Amino acid sequence: MNASPRILVTGATGLLGRQVLRACRSVPGWDVVGTAFRRVVPGLERVDLSHPAAARDLLDRFVPDIIIHAAAERRPDVSEKDPEGTQRLNVGATATLAHWAAARGAFVIYISSDYVFDGTTPPYAPDSPTCPVNAYGRSKLDGERAVFAAGAEAVSLRVPILYGEVEELGESPVTVIAKNMLNAAPGERLAMEHWATRYPTHTADVALVLRQMIERRLADSNFKGIFHWSGDEPMTKYEMALVFAPLLGFDPARLVPDARPPSDGAPRPKDCHLDSSALERLGIGRRTPFAQAIPAILAPHLSRRDA
């Protein structure tokens, strides 16, 4: 593959996509284009990937060597209420991109999820049996299958719950915890889930992993398959809230750990810890400690609140 590849990043205004676009554009010689649909900003291509003709038209105009497919419906509760719409984006659009890539010899990196597992027997290796418990997890697993069934040269990168630089605190399922704490009434006690174990992973770290994976592919045409990348700090939402509390001026005694599984919304797996050792053996990866990353992520939103 050309050492100066043309790279297409879908979902480039999303939580992960913004960081991926930034990481890829930082490499001299890489020609990088990002796509978006609802939140289009200057420098991005507007396209509705759920319309196959529109997706193929974009691909034919840009002719990428590498496609990083980060666009997705990633909210489990939305997916549970609208499984058909989720399938159109998470599976149908993925299949369109993968078939084009297979026909043109392009390489696909598909962003998948730890929710392809049921969370009962962690840690999970890339070849562990899959068994999603909700519509979102099923759609991501179906997307993986669509990529490889198309015959594309591809990687599926499974990642867990993500956090990072956000446009507003509700954008990430991690920082929305801080938003709820800030919105609580004075003195109000907040119940925080203390049941599911998660491994919050910084989007900037995942973006670096993706850049390193591309560099690996450019050097080794046999690099493909299913891989995992994950933070290594097990935390419940209650434990994340304890990290937020001093930064928000929130008395941690007001946080009430709730050890019951969630009773509303999409079913959640209990512990989908991903084994990332395959990438680690290749020298790929970085992990930013959660407590180290969070202050800079929250700071802009706290300053705006105080203004």
Side-chain angles (χ1 to χ4, degrees):
M1 186 180 290
N2 190 332
S4 301
R6 295 170 66 83
I7 300 172
L8 182 71
V9 179
T10 71
T13 54
L15 179 68
L16 176 60
R18 294 193 300 270
Q19 293 287 350
V20 175
L21 194 68
R22 184 180 303 167
C24 290
R25 284 180 169 171
S26 72
V27 181
W30 288 10
D31 184 5
V32 185
V33 165
T35 79
F37 176 48
R38 291 186 177 86
R39 295 182 295 165
V40 182
V41 298
L44 298 183
E45 293 280 340
R46 181 184 181 89
V47 62
D48 184 350
L49 294 173
S50 66
H51 290 172
R56 286 191 292 266
D57 177 67
L58 174 70
L59 293 164
D60 287 339
R61 284 190 287 112
F62 184 61
V63 194
D65 302 299
I66 298 170
I67 301 168
I68 302 176
H69 186 30
E73 174 51 69
R74 58 181 178 82
R75 297 165 295 178
D77 293 343
V78 172
S79 295
E80 209 69 17
K81 295 175 182 177
D82 184 17
E84 292 182 0
T86 298
Q87 286 280 319
R88 280 195 299 273
L89 180 58
N90 292 6
V91 185
T94 302
T96 298
L97 298 175
H99 280 287
W100 186 95
R104 299 296 190 96
F107 184 64
V108 177
I109 301 179
Y110 171 73
I111 307 301
S112 189
S113 169
D114 60 341
Y115 272 28
V116 302
F117 300 111
D118 63 10
T120 60
T121 57
Y124 292 96
D127 60 355
S128 295
T130 53
C131 185
V133 300
N134 57 37
Y136 168 71
R138 288 190 291 273
S139 75
K140 296 307 290 184
L141 181 58
D142 288 346
E144 287 187 13
R145 291 169 172 165
V147 169
F148 294 112
E153 291 279 296
V155 157
S156 178
L157 179 66
R158 296 171 178 156
V159 295
I161 190 170
L162 299 178
Y163 74 99
E165 180 183 301
V166 291
E167 294 179 344
E168 57 92 16
L169 291 175
E171 188 180 13
S172 161
V174 172
T175 52
V176 75
I177 297 170
K179 179 179 181 178
N180 293 337
M181 294 167 70
L182 288 170
N183 290 340
E188 179 186 358
R189 289 168 63 81
L190 286 183
M192 285 287 169
E193 185 202 307
H194 195 42
W195 175 76
T197 300
R198 297 168 172 87
Y199 298 81
T201 302
H202 201 305
T203 51
D205 292 343
V206 178
L208 174 65
V209 166
L210 290 165
R211 195 193 80 191
Q212 292 173 325
M213 292 172 79
I214 292 172
E215 291 167 343
R216 180 77 185 191
R217 174 68 184 190
L218 294 175
D220 177 8
S221 61
N222 292 316
F223 178 72
K224 55 189 173 182
I226 298 174
F227 294 91
H228 293 169
W229 189 254
S230 173
D232 58 1
E233 298 172 273
M235 305 181 79
T236 63
K237 288 188 174 182
Y238 169 72
E239 290 165 331
M240 294 181 213
L242 290 176
V243 175
F244 293 145
L247 303 172
L248 304 178
F250 192 99
D251 181 358
R254 293 169 56 197
L255 298 170
V256 181
D258 185 351
R260 299 170 298 175
S263 59
D264 56 354
R268 260 63 167 186
K270 192 175 194 310
D271 185 345
C272 288
H273 188 204
L274 298 173
D275 177 351
S276 305
S277 59
L279 287 180
E280 291 171 333
R281 287 193 295 269
L282 296 174
I284 292 174
R286 182 183 71 190
R287 292 185 176 93
T288 302
F290 187 75
Q292 176 182 312
I294 285 298
I297 291 169
L298 293 184
H301 304 281
L302 300 181
S303 63
R304 285 199 291 269
R305 184 183 177 89
D306 293 339

